[in-house]
Amino acid sequence: MSENREAPIGVFDSGVGGLTVAREIMRNLPSERIVYFGDTARVPYGSKSRESIIRFSRQIIHFLQEEHVKAIVVACNTASAYALDEVQKDLDIPIIGVVKPGAKVAVKATRNKRIGVIGTKGTIGSNIYADYIHEIDPEITVVGKACPLFVPLVEEGWLKDPVTVEVAERYLQELQEQDVDTLVMGCTHYPLLRSVLRELLGEKVTLVNPAYETAQSLKQLLKEMNLDNPGIKEEEFPYRFYVSDLADQFTAFANSILPYDVSMTKKIDIEKY
Ligand code: DGL
């Protein structure tokens, strides 16, 4: 196990979406270093098989271990759903996903015990949010809805476009009919659609962002394990970004959502791991 409190946290995702999770870690744990990996060559994960996602996740974890990370955050909901249980068996550093923290907060938030979950086909098909929610409270009704068009719309930058609003209306109709009072944005990209979702659902529905909850869980975990970094030098840029393809495109997206100037992303051959 890495005893080095100053070592970075490894964060990985299928691509750019996990930056919404990295962003929350940056905001809430400002004295931590981060090594981020986006699997841009093999995105999307949401429509791939469990076996593929487990294999991809193992390779990425191997890469992150070579970067001497002290802990790993699986920022991707689909990878958290399919691979987390499997990969944590052979790891000697802590690893957390985004699903459990999101589920926990949704249970706390609901008043009428009706929770909606939106995510990729993989995440919704795995039923993992419902499983975690029912572990805490079996009486809660969970309504899942896969929203596969949201990911390309966000990557196109159409965060408030009328087309996005119309797509969202169709996806959310069923959840509204089911009277959910809490909605888990169970995919890395969806927090970027928060204002469209808020507009359509109104103030009465609580929107849960698992990214924020994951950052809080990570903070607590690092503290409990004495792995929290006491601080970094002010002049240091503590974040490194790696991808498996299209580094420049990644850098441009990163600069559009992070409050930092990301000057470089490095491309690596993830199949070598
Ligand atoms: N990162 C994925 C997730 O959170 C969304 C994009 C994809 O399908 O790879 O499930």
Side-chain angles (χ1 to χ4, degrees), residues 60-120:
I60 297 166
I61 288 167
H62 189 185
F63 162 72
L64 291 172
Q65 284 184 297
E66 288 199 357
E67 295 292 306
H68 306 291
V69 298
K70 63 182 175 186
I72 294 177
V73 176
V74 185
C76 179
N77 283 260
T78 311
S80 298
Y82 278 162
L84 182 60
D85 282 352
E86 206 49 44
V87 295
Q88 70 185 355
K89 287 185 209 154
D90 19 79
L91 263 187
D92 61 355
I93 54 171
I95 181 165
I96 61 168
V98 285
V99 173
K100 220 174 208 169
K104 228 159 120 186
V105 172
V107 171
K108 273 199 201 133
T110 184
R111 295 160 306 274
N112 70 358
K113 290 190 187 274
R114 302 184 70 77
I115 298 175
V117 180
I118 52 176
T120 64

Side-chain angles (χ1 to χ4, degrees), residues 13-15 17-18 43-47 75-79 120 123 151 186-189:
D13 178 47
S14 55
V43 68
Y45 281 10
S47 50
C76 179
N77 283 260
T78 311
T120 64
T123 301
V151 167
C187 171
T188 46
H189 291 60

Side-chain angles (χ1 to χ4, degrees), residues 59-234:
Q59 286 177 315
I60 297 166
I61 288 167
H62 189 185
F63 162 72
L64 291 172
Q65 284 184 297
E66 288 199 357
E67 295 292 306
H68 306 291
V69 298
K70 63 182 175 186
I72 294 177
V73 176
V74 185
C76 179
N77 283 260
T78 311
S80 298
Y82 278 162
L84 182 60
D85 282 352
E86 206 49 44
V87 295
Q88 70 185 355
K89 287 185 209 154
D90 19 79
L91 263 187
D92 61 355
I93 54 171
I95 181 165
I96 61 168
V98 285
V99 173
K100 220 174 208 169
K104 228 159 120 186
V105 172
V107 171
K108 273 199 201 133
T110 184
R111 295 160 306 274
N112 70 358
K113 290 190 187 274
R114 302 184 70 77
I115 298 175
V117 180
I118 52 176
T120 64
K121 283 188 177 152
T123 301
I124 299 304
S126 76
N127 222 31
I128 185 151
Y129 272 102
D131 290 347
Y132 280 141
I133 289 169
H134 288 147
E135 260 177 35
I136 308 172
D137 184 346
E139 280 173 19
I140 290 177
T141 301
V142 182
V143 188
K145 178 80 185 165
C147 305
L149 294 175
F150 279 168
V151 167
L153 287 167
V154 168
E155 295 203 2
E156 198 60 32
W158 292 11
L159 304 184
K160 291 179 185 158
D161 192 276
V163 171
T164 308
V165 175
E166 196 173 329
V167 170
E169 250 164 14
R170 284 180 65 172
Y171 281 147
L172 297 182
Q173 193 187 353
E174 190 185 322
L175 298 169
Q176 288 175 300
E177 282 165 8
Q178 295 276 338
D179 193 29
V180 302
D181 74 350
T182 302
L183 181 71
V184 181
M185 297 181 284
C187 171
T188 46
H189 291 60
Y190 299 179
L192 297 171
L193 296 175
R194 179 185 274 275
S195 63
V196 167
L197 300 174
R198 167 63 62 228
E199 188 109 317
L200 291 174
L201 295 170
E203 292 298 329
K204 275 192 264 160
V205 175
T206 305
L207 296 177
V208 173
N209 178 3
Y212 174 76
E213 309 309 335
T214 302
Q216 298 303 326
S217 299
L218 177 67
K219 197 174 189 170
Q220 202 181 332
L221 178 84
L222 294 180
K223 214 174 229 140
E224 279 166 13
M225 298 185 77
N226 278 328
L227 279 174
D228 50 332
N229 193 343
I232 38 182
K233 291 194 196 89
E234 236 171 68

